[in-house]
């Protein structure tokens, strides 16, 4: 498979990137974000967590014809119910926005998180219908027991060449303790870094509110196109 780059496109979608890339990112985002972790997962190793979630989501997608047919309603409901407690979406959004995050008010930061999440969900959810016989291989974890930030490397196998899919996770203490995803890498492309340059251009041109407006407009267009 040829290397993929997204840096020269603004807010990419399935049509712009082509079926293969949109499916890859749909698969990645769904695994990284949309499946609930156990309420008490503090002692679960990060590679074991990714392996378990991967098996769970594969079974769920195969069993749910609505999701496989591209129906966003059950998928969005699942995200709203499960994503925020189990993914450090604030860290992910802040990293994607870059220096502009510190300029934003608490209200603007909340809007940025909401619109960024919707962008990721709606952009890639339609490609979930292409999941069928794929499986995941989790590579040996290279980390010490005391590490609080780890890289879990995996490959999706079953169609064509293996697809690289790596996760960055952090260990969180206190209430809701456990490993949380805050970035992922598909075919050598880190999600957060991909959006950072695009978001910086919007902030430089129109400010934080301009970025929020652009994200909101894109989400409304995506929702209208899918008949939501």
């Amino acid at each position: 498979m040829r290397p993929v780059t997204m840096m020269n496109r603004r807010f990419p979608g399935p049509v712009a990137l082509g079926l293969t890339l949109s499916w890859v990112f749909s698969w990645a985002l769904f695994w990284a974000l949309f499946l609930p972790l156990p309420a008490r997962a503090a002692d679960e190793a990060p590679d074991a967590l990714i392996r378990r979630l991967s098996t769970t989501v594969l079974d769920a997608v195969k069993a749910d014809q609505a999701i496989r047919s591209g129906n966003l309603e059950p998928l969005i409901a699942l995200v709203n119910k499960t994503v925020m407690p189990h993914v450090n979406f604030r860290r992910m959004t802040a990293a994607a926005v870059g220096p502009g995050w510190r300029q934003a008010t608490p209200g603007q930061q909340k809007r940025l998180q909401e619109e960024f999440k919707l962008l990721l969900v709606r952009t890639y959810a339609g490609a979930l219908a292409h999941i069928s016989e794929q499986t995941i291989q989790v590579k040996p974890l290279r980390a010490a027991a005391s590490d609080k930030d780890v890289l879990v490397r995996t490959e999706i196998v079953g169609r064509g060449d293996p697809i690289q899919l790596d996760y960055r996770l952090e260990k969180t203490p206190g209430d809701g303790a456990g490993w949380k995803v805050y970035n992922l890498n598909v075919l050598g492309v880190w999600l957060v870094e991909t959006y950072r340059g695009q978001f910086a251009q919007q902030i430089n041109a129109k400010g934080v509110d301009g970025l929020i407006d652009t994200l909101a407009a894109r989400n409304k267009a995506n929702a209208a196109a899918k008949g939501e």
Side-chain angles (χ1 to χ4, degrees), residues 96-171:
V97 174
W101 181 259
R102 294 189 295 273
Q103 304 171 16
T105 66
Q108 289 174 322
Q109 291 178 353
K110 182 174 182 292
R111 285 290 312 281
L112 285 167
Q113 289 184 75
E114 293 170 348
E115 298 297 344
F116 188 39
K117 181 179 75 173
L118 287 175
L119 173 70
L120 299 180
V121 172
R122 290 197 172 111
T123 299
Y124 303 112
L128 289 172
H130 298 276
I131 295 174
S132 57
E133 302 302 324
Q134 291 78 11
T135 59
I136 187 170
Q137 294 180 353
V138 180
K139 298 182 179 180
L141 180 65
R142 299 176 180 176
S146 60
D147 286 348
K148 304 299 183 183
D149 191 299
V150 301
L151 173 66
V152 176
R153 298 177 301 123
T154 77
E155 286 185 341
I156 302 170
V157 297
R159 281 189 178 182
D161 295 333
I163 297 170
Q164 174 191 352
L165 176 56
D166 301 334
Y167 300 85
R168 279 285 181 191
L169 300 95
E170 63 176 355
K171 186 69 173 292

Side-chain angles (χ1 to χ4, degrees), residues 48-145:
L49 171 64
I50 295 299
R51 182 180 294 107
R52 179 173 57 79
L53 293 181
S54 301
T55 301
T56 301
V57 71
L58 189 62
D59 293 343
V61 173
K62 288 180 179 179
D64 194 326
Q65 184 59 41
I67 292 178
R68 292 182 62 192
S69 65
N71 184 352
L72 288 183
E73 186 175 340
L75 183 56
I76 292 175
L78 179 62
V79 172
N80 289 334
K81 180 180 179 181
T82 65
V83 62
M84 294 310 295
H86 310 303
V87 174
N88 192 339
F89 214 91
R90 179 180 176 84
R91 176 174 178 176
M92 185 179 290
T93 308
V97 174
W101 181 259
R102 294 189 295 273
Q103 304 171 16
T105 66
Q108 289 174 322
Q109 291 178 353
K110 182 174 182 292
R111 285 290 312 281
L112 285 167
Q113 289 184 75
E114 293 170 348
E115 298 297 344
F116 188 39
K117 181 179 75 173
L118 287 175
L119 173 70
L120 299 180
V121 172
R122 290 197 172 111
T123 299
Y124 303 112
L128 289 172
H130 298 276
I131 295 174
S132 57
E133 302 302 324
Q134 291 78 11
T135 59
I136 187 170
Q137 294 180 353
V138 180
K139 298 182 179 180
L141 180 65
R142 299 176 180 176

